[in-house]
Amino acid sequence: MINRKNVQLGTVRSSIRELFEYGKQRKKEIGEENVFDFSIGNPSVPAPPEVNAAIKEIVDECDPVLLHGYTSAQGDYGTRKVLADYTNARFATALNAECFYLTCGAAASLTIILNALLNAGDEVITFAPFFPEYRIFIENAGGRLVAVKCEEDTFRIDFDRLESAITAHTKGVIVNSPNNPSGVVYTEEEIVRLTKLLEKYSKKYGNTIYLISDEPYRELVYDERVKVPYIMNYYRHSVVCYSYSKSLSLPGERIGYIAVNNEMPEFSEVYAAICGAGRALGFVCAPNLFQQLIKRVYNVTSDVSVYKRNRDRLYSALTRYGFKVVKPDGAFYMFVKSPEQSSVDFCERAKKYELLIVPGDDFGGEGYARISYCVAPDMIERALPAFKKLAESYR
Amino acid sequence: MINRKNVQLGTVRSSIRELFEYGKQRKKEIGEENVFDFSIGNPSVPAPPEVNAAIKEIVDECDPVLLHGYTSAQGDYGTRKVLADYTNARFATALNAECFYLTCGAAASLTIILNALLNAGDEVITFAPFFPEYRIFIENAGGRLVAVKCEEDTFRIDFDRLESAITAHTKGVIVNSPNNPSGVVYTEEEIVRLTKLLEKYSKKYGNTIYLISDEPYRELVYDERVKVPYIMNYYRHSVVCYSYSKSLSLPGERIGYIAVNNEMPEFSEVYAAICGAGRALGFVCAPNLFQQLIKRVYNVTSDVSVYKRNRDRLYSALTRYGFKVVKPDGAFYMFVKSPEQSSVDFCERAKKYELLIVPGDDFGGEGYARISYCVAPDMIERALPAFKKLAESYR
């Protein structure tokens, strides 16, 4: 009688959440320090001190009626202007405040842009492995997710598979780089090849294919030589979905944005559809206090050096133990190959050593498991002997 | 090619927004103090001092990783427990924390509950005049809004009209009391009569009809004798959508909740569907800092005595000038009868006296205009001569 699909969505826990709850229970049984929980992508680094300092300043300095009042649906103009200037300086774009639409975080950015673009039956391509909520967001917008498997063992884009997946119904492609769960960052060469392909097929089918760049992990890159290409520099019909959840360690505060490339001829229509979709979904505006915050700390990032040290420590140890892992260039995940066919069985076996890692199946990455290394460094040290034993159990 | 409905929604400004923008322009032309803007329902009273004090305390006292981190989708357990205890003490309910689901404000509460309950083609009844966004929210959830006109001149529920509007497809009824835009508060007698009718027709058609109480204006009631009945005390299949936008003057911060009556047998399914809908729409969780805030100031309200004084001053003057108005018991709106047939023409004429009031047509209240009196009292004093001239122009 009520909406079955949403009952189902609210009842079935994701495997990540399931494991997280198991971990909480297990910690009670054998002690916090004896469970090695690598299940959740929750930043372990606090927000930089500038954040709380700015919150107090804002509360002291701003007129409370304005501070806590509605902004326009698009967001505070001053904040959007600052974001435009910052983006232009950093990526040599020519955006203006009117290109930005502030949102309640990355999930909101995605549901809004998908509802803005999609009509019933449209297809959206993404590269597997991928963040499982994409499927839910796309289906809720009336579309169908088409997962294109990445190259085995490298998780780079498989362009042959991509080409055969594009149809006359393809409305968009979501790229997520640095990637959750593989940690891969797409190179400029890959992005150029991807955009050429989208141009070719947009023309062939007479349907614009939009490129949606989901970038919550943009600032989480650990080597100087690794650059995350800015999608707008390569493709006119592109939209960037950004979130401060990871870069400022503010996942619970729900603040991010959509930026629309003003080089696309139908810019005004796309931006209007974003406003319409945000309205219909019930977003009204992004939390005003955090809009004001971003205006002040737009160029600050949490200390992500911990994640880099975690990555290096874990990667070198795991490979030493014999695990196959693609070294992640960014984000805070590592996708490890299962030594047995079923990654579900692999993760179950890991549990015996109190290691909580998530089967890749939900991510469209069968045969792999995701390790979230946004954790305390000492937990990694304590977990390494367990990983070693896990590896040895397969000899 | 992209979603036409959302392009349309994002392009066409509401008449309220249109008038508000006109007012901004007009103020530039003839001076701020010469334009009497009664167009927008934005609280004019600041958040109580407890709010900013609590924000600073929270920032100082809480572990930043926890404070700014994700909560569960349902919201912080401690906050939900406080809300359950407070609601039980105030309304003699027997709710628990598990009945509450924290949201990004009233609009989110509504879109989530509507997506949780509705299947394609379901009908949702509301009483006209009504908040125009209801139509957008209901249609986005796949449903159809059925507007039941209130009694002429009193804006009380017309039970004959209601009865003939209920069909086998009726999935829910939205009540909004105190009402935007009429200011009417439904009496206990009306609520009892309404719920009896819903029980009768739920039985007749074998379909549960849900009662959704949209309560952003609950605390904005100006007379001791006026009680706002708590819907859960009258009907099992009821859900309360609450927001702190008006009661704490925090409309821009997006914080509110859904409370589900635990007396309904299918409670678990409805709650699960809410979780599913919130997930699919991209809400993730309500802003954590404001969840923590509510835990501390759940029983505080802005000083709404200004609104009462505004109401009294405006009501007595307008009736003296000859306008027909139902005296509002709550909210901060007054619905004045147009002296000419078209309320659009009436509002256009009001503009000549620099009075910005909104035609009732968008609210399903043709022949009336909405006056928002959440404004500075001195603006009302300055506006009264203009209202007087407007009245005289019809003699």
Side-chain angles (χ1 to χ4, degrees):
Chain A
M1 271 251 295
I2 67 171
N3 190 289
R4 302 311 316 168
K5 198 166 171 181
N6 282 327
V7 172
Q8 168 79 1
L9 261 185
T11 306
V12 180
R13 269 196 189 136
S14 75
S15 54
I16 303 173
R17 181 59 63 175
E18 196 82 53
L19 199 63
F20 179 71
E21 297 295 336
Y22 166 85
K24 284 212 296 201
Q25 188 51 40
R26 190 69 183 144
K27 283 171 192 168
K28 278 186 199 155
E29 291 165 19
I30 64 167
E32 188 102 16
E33 69 288 0
N34 298 314
V35 181
F36 314 120
D37 187 351
F38 295 92
S39 65
I40 294 259
N42 211 350
S44 56
V45 167
E50 289 90 334
V51 163
N52 283 356
I55 290 174
K56 292 203 276 184
E57 271 170 36
I58 291 165
V59 161
D60 282 336
E61 291 169 12
C62 297
D63 167 7
V65 172
L66 286 178
L67 170 58
H68 301 302
Y70 293 113
T71 66
S72 74
Q74 303 93 296
D76 178 79
Y77 188 84
T79 302
R80 292 187 291 140
K81 180 77 174 71
V82 161
L83 292 177
D85 293 345
Y86 178 65
T87 306
N88 293 340
R90 193 169 164 198
F91 301 115
T93 46
L95 303 173
N96 48 43
E98 286 76 6
C99 300
F100 286 79
Y101 179 96
L102 295 172
T103 66
C104 297
S109 298
L110 285 168
T111 59
I112 291 171
I113 188 64
L114 289 167
N115 276 276
L117 295 179
L118 267 57
N119 292 297
D122 281 347
E123 295 169 356
V124 178
I125 290 174
T126 198
F127 303 105
F130 61 91
F131 180 48
E133 300 298 284
Y134 287 170
R135 185 185 301 280
I136 294 163
F137 298 158
I138 291 166
E139 289 180 358
N140 194 258
R144 195 167 74 78
L145 177 137
V146 176
V148 171
K149 285 248 177 239
C150 282
E151 288 176 1
E152 180 79 3
D153 296 332
T154 66
F155 298 118
R156 312 226 67 97
I157 297 174
D158 183 323
F159 286 96
D160 290 338
R161 284 195 191 130
L162 170 60
E163 204 158 351
S164 56
I166 301 175
T167 73
H169 301 289
T170 306
K171 177 57 69 64
V173 172
I174 301 178
V175 289
N176 173 220
S177 166
N179 185 264
N180 172 10
S182 74
V184 164
V185 174
Y186 300 133
T187 61
E188 181 174 35
E189 196 195 334
E190 280 173 296
I191 295 298
V192 168
R193 210 171 149 189
L194 169 63
T195 55
K196 292 264 176 267
L197 217 58
L198 299 190
E199 274 159 18
K200 173 179 160 188
Y201 283 96
S202 292
K203 208 165 169 185
K204 176 173 174 185
Y205 293 120
N207 274 334
T208 302
I209 303 174
Y210 291 89
L211 188 51
I212 301 166
S213 185
D214 179 29
E215 308 196 346
Y217 301 103
R218 165 167 288 280
E219 323 304 341
L220 278 62
V221 174
Y222 307 117
D223 295 295
E224 273 297 312
R225 58 166 186 84
V226 176
K227 305 285 175 219
V228 185
Y230 199 67
I231 228 85
M232 291 199 198
N233 295 329
Y234 302 90
Y235 194 67
R236 289 198 298 172
H237 300 280
S238 56
V239 172
V240 170
C241 295
Y242 191 83
S243 156
Y244 294 92
S245 292
K246 321 293 178 182
S247 65
L248 283 175
S249 299
L250 296 175
E253 309 297 9
R254 315 312 304 145
I255 185 78
Y257 64 76
I258 302 172
V260 182
N261 195 340
N262 51 358
E263 287 184 359
M264 68 173 83
E266 74 285 22
F267 169 85
S268 305
E269 285 221 321
V270 169
Y271 195 89
I274 287 169
C275 295
R279 184 177 172 190
L281 295 171
F283 282 105
V284 185
C285 64
N288 197 347
L289 177 61
F290 290 99
Q291 294 192 40
Q292 302 308 320
L293 175 74
I294 296 307
K295 188 153 57 185
R296 296 183 188 218
V297 300
Y298 62 91
N299 58 354
V300 177
T301 304
S302 295
D303 175 15
V304 299
S305 62
V306 177
Y307 301 140
K308 178 178 159 60
R309 286 197 299 276
N310 283 354
R311 179 200 66 167
D312 292 343
R313 182 77 177 114
L314 203 53
Y315 177 76
S316 69
L318 292 190
T319 46
R320 198 155 13 95
Y321 304 152
F323 286 109
K324 278 195 172 172
V325 195
V326 177
K327 187 170 183 181
D329 278 327
F332 40 44
Y333 308 104
M334 211 172 267
F335 219 41
V336 56
K337 190 163 189 173
S338 167
E340 58 186 308
Q341 205 186 358
S342 157
S343 58
V344 175
D345 292 347
F346 170 50
C347 295
E348 276 305 310
R349 189 188 290 206
K351 267 185 185 169
K352 292 189 190 138
Y353 302 93
E354 311 302 344
L355 290 165
L356 308 187
I357 59 178
V358 183
D361 301 50
D362 277 4
F363 300 85
E366 296 79 4
Y368 288 82
R370 189 185 79 166
I371 300 173
S372 297
Y373 56 84
C374 45
V375 297
D378 66 297
M379 190 186 92
I380 293 185
E381 293 310 319
R382 280 181 283 115
L384 289 183
F387 275 116
K388 194 168 180 213
K389 279 186 208 149
L390 176 63
E392 284 164 358
S393 79
Y394 283 102
R395 298 254 166 81
Chain B
M1 270 253 295
I2 67 171
N3 190 288
R4 300 312 315 169
K5 199 166 172 182
N6 283 326
V7 172
Q8 168 79 2
L9 261 185
T11 305
V12 180
R13 270 195 187 136
S14 74
S15 54
I16 303 173
R17 180 61 61 176
E18 196 82 52
L19 200 61
F20 178 71
E21 298 295 337
Y22 167 85
K24 283 211 297 200
Q25 187 53 41
R26 191 70 183 140
K27 284 172 192 168
K28 276 187 202 154
E29 290 164 20
I30 64 166
E32 188 102 18
E33 70 288 0
N34 299 313
V35 180
F36 314 121
D37 186 351
F38 295 93
S39 65
I40 294 258
N42 211 348
S44 56
V45 166
E50 290 92 333
V51 163
N52 282 356
I55 290 174
K56 291 202 274 184
E57 270 170 39
I58 291 165
V59 161
D60 281 336
E61 291 169 13
C62 297
D63 168 7
V65 172
L66 287 178
L67 170 58
H68 301 303
Y70 293 113
T71 67
S72 74
Q74 303 93 295
D76 177 79
Y77 188 85
T79 303
R80 293 187 290 139
K81 181 78 174 69
V82 160
L83 292 176
D85 292 346
Y86 178 64
T87 307
N88 293 340
R90 195 170 163 197
F91 301 114
T93 46
L95 303 172
N96 48 43
E98 286 78 5
C99 300
F100 287 79
Y101 179 96
L102 296 171
T103 66
C104 297
S109 298
L110 285 168
T111 58
I112 291 171
I113 188 64
L114 289 166
N115 277 276
L117 296 177
L118 266 57
N119 292 298
D122 281 348
E123 295 169 357
V124 178
I125 289 174
T126 198
F127 303 105
F130 61 91
F131 179 48
E133 299 297 287
Y134 287 170
R135 186 185 301 281
I136 294 163
F137 298 160
I138 291 166
E139 290 181 357
N140 193 256
R144 195 168 74 80
L145 177 136
V146 176
V148 171
K149 286 247 177 238
C150 281
E151 287 176 2
E152 180 79 1
D153 295 333
T154 67
F155 298 118
R156 312 227 68 96
I157 297 174
D158 184 324
F159 285 97
D160 291 338
R161 285 196 191 130
L162 170 61
E163 204 159 350
S164 56
I166 300 175
T167 74
H169 301 289
T170 307
K171 177 56 68 63
V173 173
I174 301 178
V175 290
N176 173 221
S177 167
N179 185 265
N180 173 11
S182 75
V184 163
V185 173
Y186 300 133
T187 62
E188 182 174 36
E189 197 196 332
E190 279 173 295
I191 296 298
V192 168
R193 211 168 149 191
L194 168 64
T195 55
K196 293 266 176 263
L197 217 59
L198 299 189
E199 275 159 17
K200 174 179 159 188
Y201 283 96
S202 292
K203 210 167 168 183
K204 176 173 172 185
Y205 292 121
N207 273 334
T208 302
I209 303 175
Y210 292 88
L211 188 51
I212 300 165
S213 185
D214 179 30
E215 308 195 347
Y217 302 101
R218 166 166 287 279
E219 324 304 341
L220 278 61
V221 174
Y222 307 118
D223 296 294
E224 271 299 310
R225 58 163 187 87
V226 176
K227 305 286 175 217
V228 185
Y230 199 67
I231 228 85
M232 291 199 197
N233 296 328
Y234 302 89
Y235 194 67
R236 289 198 297 172
H237 300 280
S238 55
V239 172
V240 170
C241 295
Y242 191 83
S243 156
Y244 293 92
S245 292
K246 320 293 179 181
S247 66
L248 283 175
S249 299
L250 296 175
E253 308 297 9
R254 314 312 304 145
I255 186 79
Y257 63 77
I258 301 171
V260 182
N261 194 340
N262 51 358
E263 286 184 358
M264 70 173 82
E266 75 282 24
F267 169 85
S268 304
E269 284 219 322
V270 169
Y271 195 89
I274 288 169
C275 294
R279 185 177 171 191
L281 295 171
F283 282 104
V284 185
C285 65
N288 197 348
L289 176 61
F290 291 97
Q291 295 193 39
Q292 302 308 319
L293 175 75
I294 295 307
K295 187 152 61 185
R296 298 183 187 217
V297 300
Y298 62 92
N299 57 354
V300 177
T301 304
S302 295
D303 175 16
V304 299
S305 62
V306 177
Y307 301 140
K308 179 178 158 57
R309 285 197 300 277
N310 284 355
R311 178 200 65 168
D312 292 344
R313 183 75 178 117
L314 203 52
Y315 177 77
S316 68
L318 292 190
T319 48
R320 199 156 10 96
Y321 303 152
F323 286 110
K324 279 196 170 170
V325 195
V326 177
K327 187 171 183 181
D329 279 328
F332 39 44
Y333 308 104
M334 211 171 270
F335 219 42
V336 57
K337 191 164 187 174
S338 167
E340 57 185 309
Q341 206 187 354
S342 157
S343 59
V344 175
D345 292 346
F346 170 49
C347 295
E348 276 304 312
R349 189 187 292 207
K351 267 186 187 169
K352 292 189 190 139
Y353 303 92
E354 310 303 345
L355 289 166
L356 309 186
I357 59 178
V358 183
D361 302 49
D362 278 4
F363 301 87
E366 295 78 7
Y368 288 83
R370 188 184 81 165
I371 300 173
S372 297
Y373 56 82
C374 44
V375 298
D378 67 296
M379 188 187 91
I380 293 185
E381 293 310 320
R382 281 182 284 116
L384 289 184
F387 274 115
K388 196 169 178 215
K389 280 185 207 152
L390 176 63
E392 283 164 358
S393 78
Y394 283 101
R395 298 252 167 83

